[in-house]
């Protein structure tokens, strides 16, 4: 008499992309196993929960192994995080052109936005126009760039009051 044990083959599910510095949760059909990453320089994974953390741009193979030794693999792509550059300030009535890079390479596309009435930003070019007047010597606004991958960057933009001009008449 031969006893044959048939073990369940795991199946991994979840998102396939994550932004650098963010996390995603993977799931499996067979609980009780452990998770590993084939490239911890790109993505790490919690051995018990399956939560993947994006470390740097690239693709990592995530492996799930059941207690019985059955495995499944899953590719996770880590998208680089945008970095906002340029001059993050302007004087009332002035403009400033912002830029964005990912992995030190200039990026085009994506969308710019802001959260303030002190500035307006062109959603496609990143050119910021400071308001015509502000209260006090300066006010700040948050600018956000959203890449086509969904990865975002934010920065603080400062609007400075125009310098006061005074004159003194002398005889």
């Amino acid at each position: 008499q031969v006893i044959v044990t048939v073990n369940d083959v795991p199946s991994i599910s979840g998102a396939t992309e994550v932004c650098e510095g963010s996390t995603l949760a993977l799931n499996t059909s067979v609980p009780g196993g452990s998770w590993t990453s084939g490239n911890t320089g790109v993505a790490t994974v919690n051995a018990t929960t399956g939560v993947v953390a994006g470390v740097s741009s690239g693709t990592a193979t995530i492996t799930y192994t059941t207690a019985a030794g059955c495995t499944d693999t899953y590719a996770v792509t880590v998208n680089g995080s945008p970095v906002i550059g340029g001059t993050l300030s302007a004087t009332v009535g002035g403009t400033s052109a912002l830029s964005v890079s990912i992995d030190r390479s200039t990026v085009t596309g994506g969308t710019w936005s802001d959260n303030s009435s002190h500035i307006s930003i062109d959603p496609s070019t990143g050119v910021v126009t400071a308001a015509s007047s502000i209260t006090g010597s300066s006010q700040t606004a948050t600018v956000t760039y959203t890449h086509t991958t969904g990865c975002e960057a934010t920065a603080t933009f400062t609007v400075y009051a125009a310098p006061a001009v005074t004159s003194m008449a002398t005889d």
Side-chain angles (χ1 to χ4, degrees), residues 26-134:
L26 295 179
N27 302 298
T28 181
S29 58
V30 182
S34 62
W35 299 87
T36 57
S37 172
N39 189 344
T40 57
V42 171
T44 59
V45 63
N46 182 294
T48 56
T49 65
V51 173
V52 175
V55 176
S56 65
S57 296
T59 301
T61 300
I62 306 299
T63 302
Y64 180 76
T65 305
T66 67
C70 298
T71 63
D72 189 19
T73 59
Y74 198 76
V76 173
T77 300
V78 178
N79 296 310
S81 292
V83 176
I84 295 174
T87 303
L88 292 167
S89 63
T91 302
V92 164
T95 63
S96 179
L98 301 183
S99 62
V100 67
S101 64
I102 295 178
D103 297 333
R104 297 190 176 117
S105 297
T106 302
V107 175
T108 58
T111 305
W112 293 91
S113 61
D114 69 87
N115 73 336
S116 172
S117 60
H118 311 305
I119 65 171
S120 63
I121 190 166
D122 184 300
S124 60
T125 66
V127 173
V128 178
T129 302
S132 59
S133 66
I134 60 170

